[in-house]
């Protein structure tokens, strides 16, 4: 009976969260202090949680832009550099056959980020440029995923993530400082990105062992922390035009 009951439970955990040897170690031999297997379980659980959460991370930002019918306070250059960094992570991870739980959120964040790029252009009156951006990006993505693309190009794209993340976030930080407020920047999105990048440092080391991936998330955490600090600092600040409307 125990074996029969064990079946469905085992199918849920193996191989999604645990390799079979770790399942046996933890749930057959009841060795809950087996550190290597606990690390795998924690890493996989965190990774899948981040991937699931990424479906919602930038939706508050998208809804805030749509609700205000404005992208004021968002730096287009910053958003596009973030798109470059996310795209690099997706392409690099697919090419290296990394587990989906170690990078899956980058795919969903990419889709949400390209949507934000379009909305920023749309609400600036450049809808045609926004449509052109979507078409060019789709073409570029297909080209990068092609087997004809050299591995060196993919690795170089991933390596460019660090400067892309740093410059992109600094541009957003500079925009916030110059405006004296964070405009339509969503606090929920900012704090979720900060928490996710922190957790990704551990999961990338545990699941990929790739120092390039881990390094990108370390830098990303520092930069996201800067934006999160600005959101708190400018919490009660309002765009000047809103004051004018109230007078």
């Amino acid at each position: 009976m125990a074996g029969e009951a064990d079946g469905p439970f085992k199918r849920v955990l193996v191989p999604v969260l645990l390799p079979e040897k770790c399942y046996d170690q933890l749930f057959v031999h009841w060795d809950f202090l087996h550190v290597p297997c606990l690390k795998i379980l924690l890493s996989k659980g965190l990774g899948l949680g981040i991937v699931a959460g990424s479906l919602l991370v930038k939706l508050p930002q998208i809804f805030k832009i749509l609700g205000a019918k404005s992208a004021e306070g968002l730096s287009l250059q910053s958003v596009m550099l973030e798109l470059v960094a996310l795209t690099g992570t997706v392409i690099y991870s697919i090419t290296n056959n990394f587990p989906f739980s170690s990078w899956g959120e980058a795919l969903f964040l990419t889709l949400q980020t390209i949507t934000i790029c379009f909305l920023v252009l749309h609400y600036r009156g450049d809808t045609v440029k926004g449509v052109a951006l979507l078409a060019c990006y789709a073409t570029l993505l297909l080209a990068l995923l092609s087997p004809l693309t050299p591995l060196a190009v993919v690795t170089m794209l991933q390596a460019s993530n660090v400067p892309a993340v740093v410059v992109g976030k600094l541009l957003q930080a500079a925009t916030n400082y110059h405006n004296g407020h964070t405009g339509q920047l969503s606090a929920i999105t900012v704090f979720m990105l900060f928490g996710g990048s922190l957790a990704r440092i551990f999961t990338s080391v545990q699941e990929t062992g790739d120092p390039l991936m881990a390094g990108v998330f370390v830098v990303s955490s520092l930069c996201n922390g800067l934006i999160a600090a600005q959101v708190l600092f400018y919490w009660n600040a309002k765009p000047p035009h809103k004051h004018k409307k109230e007078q």
Side-chain angles (χ1 to χ4, degrees):
M1 289 293 291
E4 291 178 8
D6 202 39
F9 182 62
K10 184 174 182 178
R11 283 195 294 272
V12 169
L13 293 181
V14 180
V16 177
L17 290 175
L18 286 169
E20 188 158 1
K21 63 179 182 179
C22 278
Y23 175 86
D24 291 341
Q25 192 73 38
L26 294 174
F27 300 105
V28 175
H29 302 299
W30 303 107
D31 183 8
F32 292 124
L33 298 179
H34 194 272
V35 176
C37 287
L38 286 175
K39 281 185 177 180
I40 292 173
L41 181 60
L42 176 60
S43 177
K44 288 285 188 181
L46 269 176
L48 291 173
I50 292 169
V51 172
S54 71
L55 292 167
L56 305 173
V57 166
K58 294 203 173 188
L59 288 184
Q61 181 65 78
I62 292 171
F63 291 146
K64 191 169 185 180
I65 294 172
L66 291 172
K69 297 189 186 309
S70 166
E72 182 185 6
L74 271 76
S75 165
L76 179 60
Q77 293 88 345
S78 175
V79 178
M80 292 190 72
L81 283 169
E82 184 178 2
L83 181 63
V84 169
L86 288 167
T87 303
T89 297
V90 171
I91 302 299
Y92 185 74
S93 300
I94 291 175
T95 302
N96 286 281
N97 295 313
F98 289 150
F100 186 70
S101 60
S102 71
W103 63 271
E105 81 283 357
L107 175 61
F108 300 121
L109 289 176
T110 296
L111 295 175
Q112 294 167 61
T113 302
I114 190 66
T115 300
I116 292 172
C117 283
F118 172 77
L119 289 174
V120 171
L121 287 169
H122 172 66
Y123 286 116
R124 287 183 179 180
D126 293 324
T127 305
V128 174
K129 287 184 180 178
V131 173
L133 173 67
L134 294 178
C136 291
Y137 180 73
T139 303
L140 178 63
L141 200 59
L142 289 173
L144 289 171
L145 287 171
S146 167
L148 299 176
T149 303
L151 181 60
V153 172
V154 175
T155 304
M156 188 182 302
L157 182 61
Q158 176 66 6
S160 72
N161 279 5
V162 172
V165 168
V166 171
V167 175
K169 295 298 182 182
L170 287 179
L171 281 171
Q172 183 61 61
T175 299
N176 295 339
Y177 177 77
H178 176 74
N179 291 341
H181 60 81
T182 55
Q184 300 306 322
L185 202 61
S186 167
I188 297 173
T189 294
V190 168
F191 291 125
M192 289 181 74
L193 285 173
F194 179 47
S197 58
L198 281 175
R200 267 291 172 231
I201 298 172
F202 170 72
T203 62
S204 58
V205 170
Q206 182 66 35
E207 294 197 51
T208 71
D210 190 305
L212 193 54
M213 285 278 284
V216 168
F217 288 118
V218 169
V219 172
S220 181
S221 295
L222 293 172
C223 294
N224 283 327
L226 171 62
I227 303 299
Q230 284 190 314
V231 168
L232 292 174
F233 184 77
Y234 293 121
W235 190 265
N236 294 317
K238 294 181 180 180
H241 76 275
K242 290 189 176 180
H243 290 299
K244 290 178 182 179
K245 288 182 179 179
E246 288 171 3
Q247 290 173 354

